[in-house]
Amino acid sequence: MAWGRTRRALGCAKAMEGEQVQRQHRVIMVSDFFYPNFGGVENHIYQLSQCLINLGLKVVVVTHAYGNCTGVRYLTNGLKVYYLPRLPFYQQATFPTLLGWARLLRAICVREGATLLHGHQAFSTMALEACINARSLGLKVVFTDHSLFGFADPGSIVLNKVLKAVLSDVHAVICVSHTSKENTVLRACLPPATVSVIPNAVDASQFQPNLSAAWPSDPVRDEIVLIVLCRLVYRKGVDLLSLVLPEVCNRHANVRVIVGGDGPKRQLLEKIISDHGLEDRVALEGPVPHERARDFMVRGHVFVNASLTEAFCMALVEAAAAGLVVVSTAVGGVPEVLPPDMVELAEPSAEGLLEAIERALLRVPYQKPAKQHERVRQMYDWNDVARRTVHVYNTVAASTRDDGLPARLHRYAAAGRWVGAFFGAVAVLSHLLMAFLDRWQPRHLIDIAPDWPNRACGAVDARPKTLPEQITKTDNVLRHIPRSLGTGVRNVGAHASEQSDMNRVAFTCVMTAVASPALMVEMPAGKAATATSGKRSNFGHMAEVRAESQARNKDEVLAEMEIQIAGRDGYPGIAAGDGTTAAGQVAAATSSGKGYLVGDGVARGFGEVLGIGGTARNSEQRKGK
């Protein structure tokens, strides 16, 4: 079959690249919240994954589909993302099914050779369900909680019971602040020794201050701009802002306000602006993609955060790195984020926030953006976060805890009489389902996905390739591509090899898109694929090639493929967390409506390409407009 010949061709190409290395950990990150959705959890997962890849780990992200963003996609540095067909029903959290996608999770874990599953966010149903099913697969499980929750309202009571049961069977829990740790320990009744604190970080190189802009020297006469950037929801204190902004504008004629973000509370701000005649003083700019957050922030001088609850506010660190004077309500883990001389803290009330803003206005003339940026750069580093996370992984991997089914049921029983009985029954069903799948679909029949080349593991030769060497390597690979695929595919690789500045990773991007059976099993006629590098990638110029292959039999489909290698003019992607040059992106996906994983565990179909390069899109793009 054509599929078998294509698979053997890729095997030959991989053999020339060297044997697949043994990774220290193979991690499956699971959460309902990931790009193209925008938020702190999404950014945390992306940046942490990038730095873990740089440390030599294999990382795969599993989330639900976002509009047209479906199937299997590759982001910067070969970060593989599975966008599964799950239905979101509330704030991007999917509808709970307990065992509904257990077979998909098993197939992904087997294909990727997973050794550990890492769930993120307490109200992510995908993360909580994955923790239960991963335990039935025999995987080690780590969970990170990113938020604070109460204890009295009905929603918090139910969620805390679920969290208590699920976390009773995981191997380690990570929180992003000490306040978050106290909250999680109390809600889930966990031993404090099993909970680690690893804060978020920021890539300071992406938030350079605008040193060429004129900085106010007189807090009374010079114009000062307040910046607000958040989701416009109740939890972010938009109601508090609606009380404070009119009074700030009334007291200070030289102050303007720019608000970025969208949400259900936007109508409240629009009404306040209209009622007080502030159309020329307060501007609502709508959604701001993360790649434009820095440009948005440096338009102002004071950053205002009015959140009513925060475990760790990454926006504060980003604003401080951009050189702004920071004002925030002193809630949750916010006091732990920045030193006192870098932030004006306020009580979560209108009077407290107004006083903090007025103190910040007086500080503006004495602000030194460059010096503050350097301090933030030294305080927060995603590489340090990744190293501390790997330490947790190592501790979990060395654990000798009894993980048999009876021991699991005993731990669930400690969560409560009824909740323990319910989740114990779910664990038994999950265990039986995995045992049935092991007989019905044995693991050795599931194709193993090839690893993306990784310099940290020695899988990629860091030595730059000269043009003759690159062409020679290209010819060696193309010789092993089956002739039945047609000359078009060969022309794609040959044209790619002629790019004098394309290194080995770039070449791998092209050839993966051309020949990888895991990505292109079946390609309908007329479909187009795009491999787009990030703005920090080392692709130097644009090349457009077209490959045409004719089907030799019914197993080979007539295909038309267009590959664009975009360099400086490509879509601006987010660089890896350490600020190093991105290796480039290849994006390929299974076609929507064709399913994801079938009996043999292979991704079927070919779909549209995700050209975001690890960035968030605005709401119109997410809705497919």
Side-chain angles (χ1 to χ4, degrees), residues 102 105-106 109 115-118 127-143 165-172 396 399-409 411-412 423 426-428 430-432 434 443:
L105 179 65
R106 173 183 178 270
C109 291
T115 60
L116 185 145
L117 185 136
H118 192 162
L128 297 175
E129 292 171 356
C131 289
I132 298 174
N133 293 316
R135 294 293 302 107
S136 299
L137 285 170
L139 299 180
K140 305 290 186 179
V141 177
V142 176
F143 188 86
V166 174
L167 296 190
S168 66
D169 196 34
V170 304
H171 294 84
V396 167
S399 173
T400 58
R401 190 185 74 176
D402 183 6
D403 287 332
L405 183 60
R408 293 182 61 195
L409 296 179
R411 286 190 287 269
Y412 282 127
F423 279 94
V426 172
V428 171
S430 176
H431 184 83
L432 293 176
M434 297 305 172
R443 300 191 180 200

Side-chain angles (χ1 to χ4, degrees), residues 75-150:
L75 275 63
T76 304
N77 285 345
L79 176 59
K80 191 174 186 179
V81 185
Y82 285 85
Y83 289 95
L84 303 185
R86 299 292 308 280
L87 178 66
F89 79 105
Y90 179 70
Q91 293 186 358
Q92 296 302 332
T94 55
F95 191 82
T97 59
L98 296 178
L99 303 178
W101 67 291
R103 178 175 170 238
L104 272 176
L105 179 65
R106 173 183 178 270
I108 292 171
C109 291
V110 174
R111 276 180 54 80
E112 304 298 338
T115 60
L116 185 145
L117 185 136
H118 192 162
H120 291 265
Q121 191 59 305
F123 53 86
S124 169
T125 53
M126 287 189 71
L128 297 175
E129 292 171 356
C131 289
I132 298 174
N133 293 316
R135 294 293 302 107
S136 299
L137 285 170
L139 299 180
K140 305 290 186 179
V141 177
V142 176
F143 188 86
T144 297
D145 195 2
H146 295 263
S147 299
L148 302 177
F149 290 90

Side-chain angles (χ1 to χ4, degrees), residues 21-25 47-59 77 381-391 393-394 454-458 576 578 580:
V21 296
Q22 181 66 36
R23 307 292 176 111
Q24 181 184 11
H25 298 288
Q47 298 286 8
L48 176 61
S49 299
Q50 292 294 334
C51 290
L52 290 176
I53 290 174
N54 290 338
L55 291 177
L57 281 69
K58 178 175 181 178
V59 182
N77 285 345
D381 182 10
W382 277 112
N383 289 308
D384 179 62
V385 173
R387 285 190 292 267
R388 294 167 69 176
T389 303
V390 170
H391 178 73
Y393 291 168
N394 292 338
N454 191 310
R455 282 188 173 87
C457 297
D578 60 354
T580 58

